[in-house]
Amino acid sequence: MEKIEVFLGNRSYFINIGSSIFEIENIFFPLKPGDQAMLVTNNIVANMWKSNINYYLNKMEIKVDYVILPDGEVTKNVGSMEYIVSELLKKLHGRDTTLIALGGGVVGDITGFVASIYQRGVRFIQIPTTFLSQVDASIGGKTSINHILGKNMIGSFWQPVSVIVNLDYLSTLPKDQLISGIAEVIKYAIVFDSMFFNWLEENIDFILKLDVKKISYCIKKCCKIKKMIVEQDERENGSRILLNLGHTFGHAIETYLGYGIWLHGEAVAVGIAMSAETSCLLGWLSTFEKNRIINLLHRVGLPTKGPKNMDFSSYFSNFLRDKKVTSGMIRLVLPVSIGKAVIYSNIKDDILISAINRCR
Ligand code: GLY
């Protein structure tokens, strides 16, 4: 098992990565025998993995209750939040309880959000089951639910007390979920690490075939980048914004289509393509590097074209609600070369329209 510390003073925690991970003694730290916990998951994950985790929690004498939500982004709403809170109250969970998120980004985001508000804040542990949440969403303490007018518009920064990345979960992961997660991996490489991008170009077929060694390398690499950025800028006032490459376009697509119609990584992939086109139109990113980015997304099977009927006004109305907007100005993350990106706020509408047009 590898342990990566996210160092945030008295809110520091470890990302624990490995196979057969629940066999490791004290893996649910800081939970100890006799502690109370509420595990939140979805119906799909529960069918496959609930009895397995229940076995290990019982073995450690944790008094655990369960909330099982319907699968999908559409669940990440006020109603589900209220439901989890009601279950916590019904089952008499006090301030010393611990919420455990067992699932992908949806379960992690909503569980973390409830943990941040229940009785003014309780502990929570992230146990990500999708590739996307293992490389990105479970780390760094962003928690949220969606509003009909915008994705992740209600939320908080609330760090988990531990992240447990069980590589065995990838064996039951549907292919589209794997592919969706790779979009975030490509994002890390474009923004921070050209060597990693080269490595992805060479190894992408192994990752698609779920080669455990390569996948494990990939997860550790992304977790190390994410750890570094979260330590530098926990509340996203500076460098953490770079982790949003592709997300301004991507969130606009997800909100426009209705949550859950496209997977998050699919929308982000189109957003990455649109950001690359924008940068290319501004004369910053070379056509050669833009094509390398688009080609890698294609090889993975990710989309690079937005929804056919989505008009410019639907993009722009969503851009203006993006969390990166300051003083009414849209801020975009743009790759300037593979391995380097900038945050830029002065983009003319006609450039954005041309970039969106190139991805139709
Ligand atoms: N997923 C981007 C971030 O955590 O900042």
Side-chain angles (χ1 to χ4, degrees):
M1 183 184 73
E2 180 154 347
K3 283 168 94 75
I4 299 169
E5 184 170 22
V6 181
F7 189 75
L8 293 168
N10 61 5
R11 287 168 295 106
S12 301
Y13 54 93
F14 284 98
I15 309 165
N16 305 282
I17 307 169
S19 300
S20 305
I21 203 159
F22 299 132
E23 296 290 344
I24 293 164
E25 206 176 321
N26 220 10
I27 189 67
F28 295 110
F29 176 85
L31 282 175
K32 46 184 195 324
D35 279 355
Q36 193 178 25
M38 173 69 86
L39 187 144
V40 182
T41 188
N42 69 42
N43 57 319
I44 309 272
V45 176
N47 279 342
M48 284 181 292
W49 295 106
K50 181 174 166 246
S51 56
N52 171 274
I53 197 158
N54 189 43
Y55 168 82
Y56 289 104
L57 289 166
N58 284 340
K59 198 168 156 197
M60 207 187 147
E61 295 171 34
I62 306 300
K63 292 183 270 174
V64 64
D65 294 305
Y66 289 91
V67 168
I68 300 175
L69 302 170
D71 178 42
E73 189 72 43
V74 77
T75 297
K76 212 173 86 175
N77 59 23
V78 179
S80 305
M81 177 203 74
E82 221 179 332
Y83 175 64
I84 301 170
V85 171
S86 301
E87 290 302 299
L88 286 162
L89 291 171
K90 278 187 209 160
K91 309 256 165 66
L92 303 178
H93 283 252
R95 250 189 187 167
D96 55 349
T97 195
T98 303
L99 270 60
I100 303 174
L102 176 73
V106 169
V107 166
D109 282 4
I110 192 165
T111 307
F113 183 56
V114 174
S116 75
I117 55 169
Y118 183 66
Q119 300 197 2
R120 299 208 174 89
V122 297
R123 300 190 300 198
F124 91 112
I125 295 175
Q126 286 271 23
I127 308 186
T129 57
T130 63
F131 192 44
L132 191 144
S133 57
Q134 294 186 341
V135 296
D136 191 14
S138 66
I139 308 149
K142 273 191 183 174
T143 83
S144 64
I145 54 175
N146 298 325
H147 186 279
I148 184 113
L149 292 177
K151 189 165 150 110
N152 296 337
M153 282 297 146
I154 306 164
S156 59
F157 287 97
W158 190 252
Q159 298 295 339
V161 291
S162 170
V163 180
I164 304 170
V165 178
N166 180 8
L167 297 174
D168 302 342
Y169 287 149
L170 295 170
S171 65
T172 53
L173 190 68
K175 188 87 186 242
D176 60 344
Q177 289 281 354
L178 173 72
I179 289 174
S180 170
I182 298 174
E184 297 281 9
V185 176
I186 294 175
K187 170 195 82 176
Y188 281 111
I190 296 170
V191 176
F192 298 105
D193 195 330
S194 61
M195 301 290 278
F196 184 39
F197 193 93
N198 299 345
W199 184 90
L200 285 171
E201 286 180 321
E202 277 162 30
N203 290 283
I204 201 67
D205 296 330
F206 296 104
I207 293 167
L208 286 165
K209 285 186 198 133
L210 279 174
D211 178 306
V212 174
K213 264 204 179 130
K214 306 273 185 191
I215 290 251
S216 160
Y217 171 79
C218 221
I219 292 174
K220 286 171 190 164
K221 182 90 192 166
C222 295
C223 288
K224 283 176 189 160
I225 297 174
K226 180 105 188 223
K227 158 215 156 68
M228 177 188 77
I229 295 299
V230 170
E231 286 175 352
Q232 274 173 17
D233 179 25
E234 183 186 1
R235 296 181 77 94
E236 199 170 288
N237 297 310
S239 58
R240 190 164 179 175
I241 295 172
L242 294 169
L243 291 174
N244 286 287
L245 173 68
H247 284 62
T248 303
F249 296 102
H251 284 166
I253 292 170
E254 288 178 272
T255 307
Y256 166 80
L257 288 176
Y259 302 124
I261 302 295
W262 280 24
L263 292 174
H264 178 60
E266 294 169 339
V268 166
V270 174
I272 292 174
M274 288 178 175
S275 309
E277 291 291 2
T278 306
S279 190
C280 206
L281 283 161
L282 288 166
W284 295 346
L285 183 70
S286 69
T287 307
F288 175 71
E289 293 213 311
K290 180 200 75 179
N291 288 340
R292 279 180 71 196
I293 292 171
I294 306 274
N295 286 342
L296 186 56
L297 294 168
H298 280 163
R299 281 179 63 198
V300 174
L302 282 159
T304 55
K305 306 276 180 208
K308 281 211 164 35
N309 301 326
M310 186 166 171
D311 54 19
F312 301 119
S313 64
S314 302
Y315 281 97
F316 280 86
S317 59
N318 281 295
F319 290 166
L320 291 170
R321 291 194 193 96
D322 187 79
K323 291 189 285 315
K324 290 180 293 303
V325 167
T326 47
S327 315
M329 296 267 269
I330 299 166
R331 286 192 294 171
L332 276 187
V333 181
L334 298 177
V336 290
S337 62
I338 288 175
K340 189 172 183 336
V342 294
I343 303 154
Y344 191 63
S345 62
N346 210 4
I347 307 163
K348 303 247 173 340
D349 287 0
D350 59 333
I351 297 274
L352 286 173
I353 289 171
S354 301
I356 294 166
N357 246 337
R358 286 185 177 189
C359 298
R360 278 162 111 83

